[in-house]
Structure formats: C-alpha cells, structure tokens
Amino acid sequence: MIRILIADDEPMIRAGVRTILTTDPGITVVAEAADGREAVELAQSHRPDVAVLDIRMPGTGGIEAATEIRRTVPGTGVAMLTTFGEDEYILRALTEGATGFLIKSGEPEELIAGVRAVADGAAYLSPKVAARVVAHLAAGGAGARAGRQAAARARVETLTAREREVLGFLGGGLSNGQIARRLRLAEGTVKAHVSSILARLGVDNRAAAAVLAHEAGGIPAPPPGLPHQG
C-alpha cells in the first residue's frame, strides 16, 4: 500500500487529489495539510511514501517544505503539483530534491502514474511540465537554445554507452526495477549506473537528469564500435 500526504491550501484541490488517488486500491491518503509547515510536521509524524505538495502555498511554500521533508524524512518521495506559469518554481524545486512534477489540470491517470513512479523511486515529469521546463531553459532565442542543447549533449556524451541507455529510460520515468527488466540487468547494477549518471552529469536527482536528457534533444548515439559497458 502506497501511503500519501497531500498538501494544498485549497480544500477543493485536496479533496480532488484525494478522490483521484483513492480510486487506486493500492494507494491510501494518510494525511492532509493546508500549508508547507503543516506538511513537514505531518510528514515527520506519518512518514508517508510520497508527499504531494502544491508549489505555491501561503507561509511555507511547497519548495521549502520539500527541502525540509527530504532532509528530515529521506524515505519520503516528493511530487510537486504545479500550474502553467510557474516555470521558475519548477526549476527551483528540481534542485531541492523533488522527483515528480504534475499539472493540476492533467488527466487523473497521470496523477496516479506520477505518484506510483515517485513511490517506486523513479522520476516523473508530466509531458507538459517537461516541455515547459525545456522551453524555459531554451528561452533567449535560437542561439541560446542551440548553446544549451550543445552543452547538454556534451554532458550526456561523457556517459558510457550503457549509461546513455539507462538515462534514456530514466528520462522516460522508469524505475530502477523497470529499467533492469528492460536491459536484463540486476537492479543493483542499474542503481549503480544511476548513481554514476547523476555524478557525471553533475545533477542531484533523477528528475534533473531527465530534464537534461530532454534538453539534449534525446540521447546521443554511442560512437560506432563502442561496446555496451554493463
């Protein structure tokens, strides 16, 4: 059973998220908060598998709450609820350990999929969120966009062929277990690859790596003749 904490200052939004999530028999909502401070307190007392946090709340916002939850309850994954026009908040949240990003106006199935992915240790970016983040990063004209893409591709090209494969699946929101099954590797091997990928790319979490993969415009093919390194 996946245990969920919901934090949003709007009761109707909390009710809607709770209703959607509890349609999945494998998910239960164990606590609800109206602001970030309360979310941190409830996360510390209930230790849920996933905290679903609205990015913008009065007082202590979702990003500050995410930082504190990741610091004090490291076993709790964080998924952010966002709306369009909050790109700068999404970018900040990436650096604070959030691994799921969901649009409030998205499909109910997307909310459930995102929460399940985060609970499984994967990164999940709503396709709309990923597109907005990449568009925001590319702002400034064709020259800036090309420069960012080139820089992202250069960073990705430092990976081994196998790590690029893993990054491709990671960018698609797959968990370590799912990647292991796709590549027929031990899950521990995939976990080691992910750790190496984050270190080589200089990012702190899977969601940031996924955004970098999107910004690179896909995963560059390995040089001809380069064998996979498992």
Side-chain angles (χ1 to χ4, degrees):
M1 182 68 71
I2 300 172
R3 303 170 69 252
I4 306 296
L5 160 69
I6 301 170
D8 196 293
D9 59 305
E10 298 184 43
M12 188 174 295
I13 296 294
R14 292 200 306 273
V17 171
R18 181 180 65 249
T19 298
I20 291 170
L21 290 177
T22 53
T23 62
D24 186 320
I27 294 175
T28 184
V29 175
V30 297
E32 296 183 30
D35 58 43
R37 180 190 57 77
E38 187 181 11
V40 172
E41 293 174 353
L42 290 173
Q44 292 169 345
S45 60
H46 289 273
R47 299 190 173 273
D49 298 301
V50 180
V52 180
L53 310 175
D54 183 20
I55 279 190
R56 297 177 68 179
M57 292 183 284
T60 302
I63 294 176
E64 292 78 10
T67 303
E68 190 64 13
I69 288 172
R70 295 299 296 151
R71 185 183 71 83
T72 60
V73 197
T76 296
V78 175
M80 308 301 297
L81 284 174
T82 72
T83 59
F84 286 123
E86 295 182 333
D87 301 355
E88 70 276 13
Y89 292 97
I90 296 171
L91 296 173
R92 281 181 56 203
L94 273 172
T95 68
E96 299 301 332
T99 55
F101 294 86
L102 301 156
I103 293 289
K104 287 185 179 181
S105 60
E107 296 296 326
E109 294 80 6
E110 189 175 289
L111 175 62
I112 293 172
V115 164
R116 281 195 161 276
V118 172
D120 202 25
Y124 187 92
L125 277 75
S126 158
K128 292 179 181 179
V129 171
R132 292 284 293 187
V133 170
V134 173
H136 184 83
L137 291 172
R145 181 168 59 252
R148 285 185 177 277
Q149 184 179 62
R153 289 181 67 85
R155 290 166 71 182
V156 170
E157 286 167 358
T158 66
L159 305 179
T160 67
R162 177 65 85 189
E163 286 169 348
R164 293 181 208 180
E165 282 187 310
V166 173
L167 178 61
F169 288 120
L170 189 156
L174 274 67
S175 67
N176 288 349
Q178 291 170 323
I179 296 172
R181 289 190 289 273
R182 295 287 184 92
L183 297 179
R184 298 182 179 179
L185 298 172
E187 188 168 345
T189 300
V190 172
K191 183 177 181 180
H193 281 314
V194 171
S195 295
S196 177
I197 289 167
L198 298 185
R200 287 173 182 261
L201 296 182
V203 296
D204 295 326
N205 57 67
R206 300 167 70 100
V211 169
L212 185 65
H214 282 289
E215 189 177 18
I219 309 304
L226 181 65
H228 289 313
Q229 299 180 32

